[in-house]
């Protein structure tokens, strides 16, 4: 306990002294930046590591996912509505548990057009939902293998939710480095770990034309 008349003052602080008996507790006024949390150097190091991870995931031009989506034509007005209103889609979309919805049809029936419509209009990314997508194309080298797809999905996920890059995932990238972008098992495990994070929210991964990989 402080004794009567004791003054508590921070270095370079300002003293406001009132006469009279009792303890004096002087409120400091700090000149210059003050940090009470994580050291700024540590935050900067983490940010650099996150950027490096995104660069590794971009090995197969993952950042061009929007351009790849736009290679597919828009739907003709009135089409695709039957699918969105179908009970199977509605049940999947409203489900609170993890579920897969498989759509199959003959070539040229409009599956890619439907997938683009779902991304653009039906399943937009929101505060509680993150949508990632990949369109396989067998005539494009970086769009015809599953490793490219995983890199693209993870790139989109971490760009939208940087907080899912946990310490464990950062360590995994540190250990494996650039070769991680070619390891299906490692990339898959990172995706599983990210989706199981308590801050993940709802995550939808839309894959089109899997038969072309």
């Amino acid at each position: 306990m402080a004794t009567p008349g004791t003054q508590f003052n921070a270095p370079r602080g300002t003293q406001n002294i009132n006469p009279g008996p009792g303890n004096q507790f002087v409120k400091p006024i700090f000149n210059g930046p003050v940090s009470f949390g994580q050291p700024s150097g540590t935050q900067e190091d983490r940010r650099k590591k996150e950027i490096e991870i995104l660069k590794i995931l971009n090995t197969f031009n993952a950042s061009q996912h929007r351009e790849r989506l736009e290679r597919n034509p828009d739907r003709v007005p009135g089409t695709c509505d039957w699918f969105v209103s179908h009970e199977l889609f509605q049940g999947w979309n409203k489900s609170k548990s993890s579920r897969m919805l498989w759509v199959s049809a003959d070539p040229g029936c409009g599956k890619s057009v439907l997938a683009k419509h779902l991304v653009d209009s039906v399943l937009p990314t929101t505060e509680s939902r993150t949508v990632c997508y990949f369109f396989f194309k067998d005539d494009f080298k970086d769009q015809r293998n599953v490793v490219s797809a995983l890199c693209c999905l993870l790139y989109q996920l971490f760009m939208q939710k940087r907080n899912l890059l946990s310490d464990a995932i950062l360590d995994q990238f540190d250990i494996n480095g650039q070769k991680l972008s070619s390891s299906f098992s490692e990339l898959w495990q990172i995706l599983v770990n990210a989706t199981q994070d308590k801050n993940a929210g709802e995550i939808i991964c839309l894959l089109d034309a899997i038969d072309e990989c």
Side-chain angles (χ1 to χ4, degrees), residues 103-177:
V103 179
S104 62
D106 292 334
C109 287
K111 298 185 298 297
S112 296
V113 173
L114 171 62
K116 183 177 186 295
H117 175 57
L118 292 177
V119 172
D120 286 342
S121 305
V122 182
L123 300 170
T125 291
T126 64
E127 186 175 342
S128 60
R129 176 175 63 198
T130 306
V131 179
C132 308
Y133 53 86
F134 186 83
F135 286 72
F136 287 98
K137 293 290 183 184
D138 57 8
D139 54 346
F140 288 92
K141 182 179 180 180
D142 57 356
Q143 283 185 257
R144 61 189 184 200
N145 69 78
V146 70
V147 171
S148 297
L150 283 173
C151 284
C152 188
L153 294 175
L154 288 171
Y155 180 87
Q156 294 173 68
L157 179 61
F158 294 143
M159 282 294 290
Q160 296 177 83
K161 286 202 165 186
R162 195 72 65 87
N163 62 322
L164 295 184
L165 280 168
S166 64
D167 290 339
I169 292 177
L170 292 177
D171 290 342
Q172 201 168 349
F173 274 96
D174 270 346
I175 294 171
N176 293 280

Side-chain angles (χ1 to χ4, degrees), residues 41-104:
T42 303
Q43 292 176 342
E44 181 64 20
D45 291 342
R46 184 181 181 87
R47 190 185 72 85
K48 289 180 179 179
K49 188 178 293 187
E50 291 174 353
I51 292 175
E52 186 60 32
I53 289 173
L54 292 173
K55 288 181 179 179
I56 292 175
L57 292 174
N58 198 31
T59 299
F60 298 103
N61 299 314
S63 60
Q64 297 179 11
H65 56 275
R66 186 69 207 181
E67 288 84 346
R68 293 166 175 171
L69 173 71
E70 294 298 340
R71 292 173 185 170
N72 300 287
D74 293 329
R75 66 161 187 155
V76 174
T79 61
C80 300
D81 291 341
W82 69 270
F83 178 86
V84 175
S85 60
H86 197 283
E87 62 180 24
L88 289 179
F89 175 80
Q90 289 293 321
W92 169 83
N93 193 28
K94 295 176 181 178
S95 175
K96 300 299 182 182
S97 60
S98 179
R99 294 178 59 183
M100 181 180 72
L101 181 64
W102 182 278
V103 179
S104 62

Side-chain angles (χ1 to χ4, degrees), residues 23-41:
N23 300 335
Q24 295 183 6
F25 296 90
V26 182
K27 178 181 179 181
I29 298 177
F30 297 95
N31 298 316
V34 179
S35 176
F36 295 100
Q38 189 179 29
S40 58

Side-chain angles (χ1 to χ4, degrees), residues 169-202:
I169 292 177
L170 292 177
D171 290 342
Q172 201 168 349
F173 274 96
D174 270 346
I175 294 171
N176 293 280
Q178 186 67 41
K179 66 180 182 180
L180 193 64
S181 63
S182 60
S183 173
F184 169 81
S185 59
E186 294 288 347
L187 291 169
W188 177 256
Q189 190 57 53
I190 289 173
L191 179 60
V192 171
N193 291 342
T195 57
Q196 292 177 344
D197 190 289
K198 63 179 181 180
N199 299 313
E202 181 185 11

